Amino acid sequence: MSAPTRRRLLLAAGAALGLAACGAQPTKPDTPTPRPAAPRKPRVALALGGGAARGFAHIGVIKALETSGISVDVVVGTSAGSVVGALYAAGHGPFELQKLAIQLDEASVTDWSLFDRGLIKGEALERFINTHVGGRPIEGLRRRFAAVATDLQSGEPIVFQRGNTGTAVRASSSIPGVFPPVTIGGREYVDGGLVAPIPVRAARGLGADVVVAVDISSRPSGKTKAGNLDLLLDTIAIMGGAMGKTELAAADVVIRPELRGLPATNFQQRHEAILEGEKAGFAAIARVRDAIAAWERKHN
């Protein structure tokens, strides 16, 4: 076959291919299949109630939750609950908290006053908290944290979510007649247990999906001849009983360490309080897991 003939054949073949291409439909690129959104885990909150020295039980509950693999995202505390809650939110694990509690010198959080509006100034407690949270403000803690106090002028609960951590805890813990009111922004604040003994609603307000409430405040000390301070704390606990029931009704799980007979003023029985908290915490683990699973089934 001559060269001109070959060229003509090649040109004809090329033209045929070109016409075929013109008639073909363009192929669309494969559209990637959208991936389903990963299921969101619920935000779990601890609502830690007040109860003075009985607050050491909170450490045992935290220990049970942590060692069972239950992660806490939000911590809200009233009075003694704000003390433990602030330290936990700052990053102290349960064993560190237990060590701090056992080694705690009562004088490091107690500064007696003779001429103020309370028996204890509260400045030592504020320093203790700020020292052990590394001087960080509330918004700088590792976990979201809030302390609940009572506005002395309005009688309303105030949820401190920003600012000086030690000052907020001091305000939340200022039992009338024992601590003087704490002035913040020109207003006076006292113990949050007067209006929110177990701060469940505050935890909901911070975006919690599952709230685990720890109730240490609803029982009197059980002492037949209680001293003046025990009597005052028992009276506050009884007065707060109705409010506590309202708060607890909004919780998903309520943990009640068996603390009857442990006076709220007895710091020497801190080890017993921690053990009771741990025992009650482990007994509630299945209920906490069920509450988390129920939320996941409903929302994912």
Side-chain angles (χ1 to χ4, degrees):
M1 184 184 294
S2 64
T5 302
R6 282 198 300 271
R7 281 197 296 273
R8 283 195 297 271
L9 288 173
L10 288 171
L11 286 171
L17 288 172
L19 288 170
C22 288
Q25 295 296 320
T27 303
K28 293 182 180 179
D30 292 337
T31 303
T33 303
R35 293 182 179 179
R40 181 173 79 80
K41 292 184 177 181
R43 289 179 292 272
V44 178
L46 265 182
L48 304 177
R54 282 175 253 176
F56 290 110
H58 291 316
I59 297 173
V61 173
I62 291 170
K63 188 176 179 184
L65 293 173
E66 287 261 340
T67 55
S68 300
I70 294 172
S71 178
V72 174
D73 306 291
V74 179
V75 187
V76 185
T78 290
S79 198
S82 75
V83 175
V84 176
L87 297 173
Y88 181 45
H92 292 285
F95 293 98
E96 290 178 86
L97 289 173
Q98 184 169 340
K99 184 178 179 182
L100 265 177
I102 298 303
Q103 295 178 346
L104 178 67
D105 178 4
E106 198 172 335
S108 65
V109 294
T110 306
D111 45 357
W112 296 98
S113 171
L114 295 177
F115 305 106
D116 210 334
R117 295 158 70 186
L119 299 173
I120 300 172
K121 295 177 185 177
E123 294 171 0
L125 174 62
E126 182 174 332
R127 283 194 302 271
F128 176 84
I129 293 295
N130 281 333
T131 297
H132 290 284
V133 302
R136 286 172 288 171
I138 293 173
E139 63 271 25
L141 302 180
R142 292 188 184 180
R143 284 182 174 85
R144 191 165 187 193
F145 171 71
V148 180
T150 304
D151 185 315
L152 193 55
Q153 282 111 318
S154 70
E156 295 294 321
I158 300 297
V159 182
F160 288 105
Q161 304 177 52
R162 301 182 64 81
N164 188 298
T165 305
T167 304
V169 170
R170 177 183 172 190
S172 180
S173 306
S174 291
I175 302 164
V178 180
F179 292 83
V182 176
T183 303
I184 302 173
R187 297 185 73 84
E188 291 187 320
Y189 299 95
V190 292
D191 194 297
L194 299 175
V195 288
I198 307 102
V200 175
R201 286 177 292 185
R204 292 284 185 204
L206 266 65
D209 299 309
V210 174
V211 179
V212 179
V214 185
D215 176 15
I216 60 169
S217 65
S218 60
R219 299 168 185 76
S221 66
K223 293 175 70 176
T224 55
K225 295 182 179 180
N228 288 340
L229 186 51
D230 279 313
L231 184 61
L232 172 63
L233 293 171
D234 283 352
T235 302
I236 291 173
I238 292 168
M239 289 172 60
M243 286 180 290
K245 288 177 183 177
T246 302
E247 292 272 3
L248 292 174
D252 296 283
V253 178
V254 179
I255 300 176
R256 291 187 177 93
E258 181 48 65
L259 301 172
R260 185 178 294 276
L262 252 69
T265 56
N266 192 338
F267 282 77
Q268 303 310 312
Q269 289 183 274
R270 65 193 82 172
H271 186 66
E272 289 88 337
I274 292 171
L275 288 177
E276 288 298 334
E278 191 173 343
K279 182 171 26 172
F282 278 117
I285 293 301
R287 288 186 287 130
V288 175
R289 287 182 174 146
D290 286 346
I292 292 171
W295 187 94
E296 290 174 338
R297 285 193 302 271
K298 185 176 179 181
H299 294 89
N300 291 321

